[in-house]
Amino acid sequence: FIHQEKSIKTEIKTLIQTLWKTEEMRPQRPEVTMEIQNGLYYFRTSLFQSIPKTYRRLSNALVRHYGEELHDTLLREHALIRFGSWIGGDRDGNPYVTPELTMHAMRLQQETILQEYIDRTSSLIGDLTHSRSFCLPSDAFEEKLEADEENYNRYLEENYPHFSHAPYRRKLWIMLHRLRATLMQVQQALQDESLVEEQPHAYRNEEEFLEDLLLIHESLTGHGDEEAADARLLDLIMLTRTFGFFLSRLDIRQESTVHSDAVAEIVSQAGIDDYAGLDESERCSVLGRLIEEGPDIDREQLSRETREVIAVFDVIAALRERVSPEAIGQYVISMTHCASHILELMWLASLCRLAGYRDNSWYCHIRISPLFETIDDLSHVEQVMTRLLDEPVYRELLKASGNVQEIMLGYSDSCKDGGILASGWNLYEAQQKIIRIARAHDIDCRLFHGRGGTLGRGGGPTHDAILSQPAGTVHGQIKFTEQGEVLSDKYSNQETAVYELSMGITGLLKASRGEGK
């Protein structure tokens, strides 16, 4: 022990000496790709291990208090925790976040989560060594295994004769190679999106992979191996439900005047020459009509800046198709001052077939989150949201996308604008107004809290922050940011990550009951 203590002290001394002689600031401006990799670091370092542990702690608590019947339903049918990111999607004031970079960010996220699935599936091949001599897999499993061997065996890099009596290892071996084929497509896309060769044995989406995992779980449980089913296999099921094939939903953010300028230029092709001169009511009316009509535009006649604005929606549509419909989260409009700012974005999305009226019905594949971030904006939130939700076209589109309106509240800018006290009070009042409006219009509302690390930016313990929300404003869901300066403190190791996630869930459960304690 004396030798071990000396070794540890020497290591600590070495680290301290090295830190003293390390530059405090980066010698070069960090690139966006470096920021993306830094965000992915926390998933690899702790979150992939912390998520299953958090779910198990929650499940054990529910079973302890309410009975065994809650165990399976919670863990296998619901993802209580979802992650989002706007690293690579936040172009508000950052000219380096291009449409191509947004695509690249999502591909890096895909690469990260697929590699995790490959590692865990490979480990399961060594875990689930059950022999047909001692167990009887389900008929559904046997049918799927037979079909997979017929469809995919010719694509395997090598055969598996040593798995002849191990059905789960055979199935997992095929799954492993399908995951590798999926990863190969993603890595090709990282080099050049135009050079992607579709692999016929790759997984098309996360649902196919999850279906295979659940099939194995059901079969194991059917012949009395619940313990094996609920071990590392269940961890992988929980990760798949949480992260899909996209890891975290990528939010897009842009400042409202960028959209307004683009719309003013584009609508001139529809014969509206003085869009900037229209009042708010006229703008909403014009935009509603244009969304319903869905006019075509000539992109070649537009400026480079406007073409780039539209290109972002092209990327959103491509990611929905190539990665997952859930790959893109919200499109956040910073400095939202009026209802027309949201309708402008919706019309721009309609130009890329992300929203509109087709085949006698409305459709909407984009979720918009207006950001109210100054004291003045917070004081006008009731007027803006009432005007927006009174617009028939927007209500139809909202209904088509799930009838949920997310609204982001900015803690940092409101504090800079009016100070901590004014910021806190106006945010408190704004939340109550938003919920009243949502109830009056019969829609669900999720509040997105743009909290920073310091108290001046809305920071503080997550559990206390959730419980401090106005009564009746948290209805089983809440969304908040974790800024860069606190990521390391909360998520750099498994223990603190599990604690943070557990306290967040606990606060959500308490706040959803309408109690502040």
Side-chain angles (χ1 to χ4, degrees):
F1 289 106
I2 294 176
H3 176 74
Q4 185 179 19
E5 180 182 359
K6 183 179 179 181
S7 176
I8 292 172
K9 287 182 177 180
T10 300
E11 184 178 355
I12 293 173
K13 181 180 178 181
T14 302
L15 289 171
I16 293 173
Q17 288 177 332
T18 302
L19 287 172
W20 272 116
K21 297 173 182 178
T22 301
E23 290 282 358
E24 295 183 18
M25 303 293 291
R26 295 178 184 268
Q28 296 176 331
R29 181 192 297 271
E31 298 178 356
V32 180
T33 52
M34 296 170 61
E35 187 181 1
I36 296 169
Q37 291 290 358
N38 184 61
L40 296 176
Y41 166 83
Y42 295 101
F43 289 98
R44 291 190 292 261
T45 301
S46 67
L47 288 171
F48 288 151
Q49 293 75 38
S50 303
I51 287 294
K53 289 182 179 180
T54 303
Y55 279 136
R56 289 183 185 280
R57 288 184 62 179
L58 177 60
S59 176
N60 292 337
L62 290 173
V63 169
R64 187 166 60 249
H65 289 283
Y66 301 107
E68 185 67 31
E69 64 273 9
L70 290 182
H71 177 271
D72 293 346
T73 301
L74 174 66
L75 294 184
R76 293 177 203 140
E77 294 185 6
H78 304 283
L80 294 183
I81 305 168
R82 285 284 193 180
F83 290 86
S85 172
W86 56 32
I87 307 176
D90 184 5
R91 53 211 356 101
D92 184 5
N94 191 342
Y96 299 105
V97 181
T98 63
E100 294 77 18
L101 185 68
T102 298
M103 176 70 78
H104 190 73
M106 177 50 68
R107 291 302 195 181
L108 286 173
Q109 290 187 185
Q110 272 194 289
E111 183 182 43
T112 300
I113 190 58
L114 286 172
Q115 188 60 62
E116 182 69 18
Y117 292 160
I118 287 171
D119 293 343
R120 287 178 178 262
T121 301
S122 182
S123 297
L124 285 174
I125 293 175
D127 290 351
L128 305 181
T129 58
H130 302 67
S131 170
R132 278 199 174 90
S133 302
F134 305 107
C135 66
L136 184 64
S138 68
D139 291 341
F141 173 85
E142 294 284 24
E143 290 173 6
K144 186 66 185 299
L145 177 58
E146 182 180 351
D148 283 352
E149 290 183 330
E150 181 179 346
N151 293 329
Y152 304 123
N153 269 6
R154 64 184 181 275
Y155 298 112
L156 300 186
E157 298 170 4
E158 55 184 293
N159 295 321
Y160 43 58
H162 52 297
F163 296 163
S164 57
H165 295 291
Y168 299 120
R169 300 185 82 181
R170 294 175 72 88
K171 174 63 175 172
L172 288 164
W173 187 258
I174 293 174
M175 292 168 61
L176 177 62
H177 283 274
R178 295 190 69 190
L179 284 170
R180 286 173 175 166
T182 311
L183 178 60
M184 182 187 300
Q185 292 180 163
V186 172
Q187 291 174 335
Q188 288 174 345
L190 282 168
Q191 297 300 318
D192 190 333
E193 284 284 339
S194 65
L195 298 180
V196 177
E197 297 180 12
E198 185 173 346
Q199 304 295 318
H201 57 302
Y203 280 107
R204 290 175 296 178
N205 50 54
E206 57 260 27
E207 285 79 14
E208 285 188 344
F209 180 56
L210 182 60
E211 181 183 342
D212 281 343
L213 294 173
L214 292 173
L215 193 61
I216 296 174
H217 190 281
E218 180 184 1
S219 182
L220 285 167
T221 304
H223 53 67
D225 284 296
E226 293 88 352
E227 291 78 7
D230 287 343
R232 290 203 283 186
L233 174 63
L234 185 56
D235 286 350
L236 184 51
I237 290 172
M238 289 186 283
L239 286 177
T240 306
R241 288 202 178 279
T242 302
F243 297 112
F245 275 7
F246 52 88
L247 184 63
S248 63
R249 291 171 174 160
L250 189 60
D251 283 356
I252 311 296
R253 184 167 74 161
Q254 182 58 280
E255 203 265 330
S256 60
T257 58
V258 174
H259 305 135
S260 298
D261 292 343
V263 168
E265 181 181 350
I266 297 171
V267 296
S268 63
Q269 293 187 11
I272 304 170
D273 296 326
D274 188 26
Y275 176 80
L278 301 178
D279 62 28
E280 174 65 5
S281 179
E282 290 171 328
R283 288 191 182 192
C284 290
S285 178
V286 166
L287 291 166
R289 174 174 57 81
L290 291 175
I291 292 171
E292 188 168 4
E293 293 175 354
D296 293 325
I297 62 171
D298 184 359
R299 297 196 186 190
E300 297 301 321
Q301 301 300 316
L302 301 174
S303 65
R304 179 185 61 82
E305 293 79 9
T306 297
R307 288 200 303 271
E308 184 160 311
V309 170
I310 299 175
V312 175
F313 297 95
D314 290 332
V315 168
I316 294 173
L319 288 175
R320 283 180 48 81
E321 179 182 353
R322 300 175 195 174
V323 178
S324 168
E326 298 298 315
I328 296 295
Q330 298 284 326
Y331 195 124
V332 180
I333 310 173
S334 58
M335 292 298 169
T336 301
H337 303 311
C338 50
S340 61
H341 284 160
I342 297 98
L343 292 173
E344 286 171 349
L345 181 60
M346 190 64 80
W347 182 61
L348 291 170
S350 73
L351 298 177
C352 299
R353 303 294 186 265
L354 288 169
Y357 189 76
R358 184 174 57 200
D359 299 330
N360 299 318
S361 64
W362 292 95
Y363 68 96
C364 184
H365 304 311
I366 189 167
R367 307 178 187 97
I368 300 175
S369 179
L371 168 54
F372 298 96
E373 47 193 327
T374 66
I375 298 297
D376 187 56
D377 287 339
L378 290 170
S379 66
H380 290 97
V381 67
E382 187 171 17
Q383 174 185 343
V384 172
M385 292 310 301
T386 299
R387 178 69 184 84
L388 178 67
L389 295 175
D390 283 344
E391 182 63 40
V393 168
Y394 187 78
R395 284 300 308 278
E396 292 291 344
L397 291 168
L398 190 64
K399 189 184 303 181
S401 65
N403 212 38
V404 178
Q405 176 66 61
E406 179 177 292
I407 296 174
M408 185 174 181
L409 302 171
Y411 286 66
S412 179
D413 284 281
S414 59
C415 185
K416 294 174 189 174
D417 191 25
I420 293 178
L421 181 60
S423 171
W425 178 247
N426 279 276
L427 285 164
Y428 194 92
E429 283 194 316
Q431 291 179 65
Q432 293 178 318
K433 293 175 183 177
I434 290 167
I435 296 302
R436 283 200 300 268
I437 295 166
R439 288 173 178 165
H441 288 83
D442 195 26
I443 65 169
D444 293 326
C445 182
R446 176 173 58 245
L447 296 173
F448 179 10
H449 301 270
R451 303 168 61 240
T454 64
L455 290 176
R457 300 182 65 196
T462 302
H463 178 268
D464 294 344
I466 295 175
L467 290 185
S468 69
Q469 304 309 312
T473 62
V474 180
H475 301 283
Q477 57 179 336
I478 193 169
K479 180 177 176 181
F480 50 85
T481 55
E482 295 284 28
Q483 301 290 0
E485 63 266 27
V486 298
L487 284 176
S488 179
D489 292 341
K490 293 183 178 181
Y491 303 107
S492 58
N493 65 73
Q494 295 180 36
E495 289 76 13
T496 56
V498 170
Y499 174 82
E500 182 66 24
L501 293 170
S502 300
M503 294 305 292
I505 293 174
T506 303
L508 175 63
L509 292 172
K510 290 180 178 178
S512 296
R513 295 175 59 213
E515 298 179 2
K517 53 187 176 181

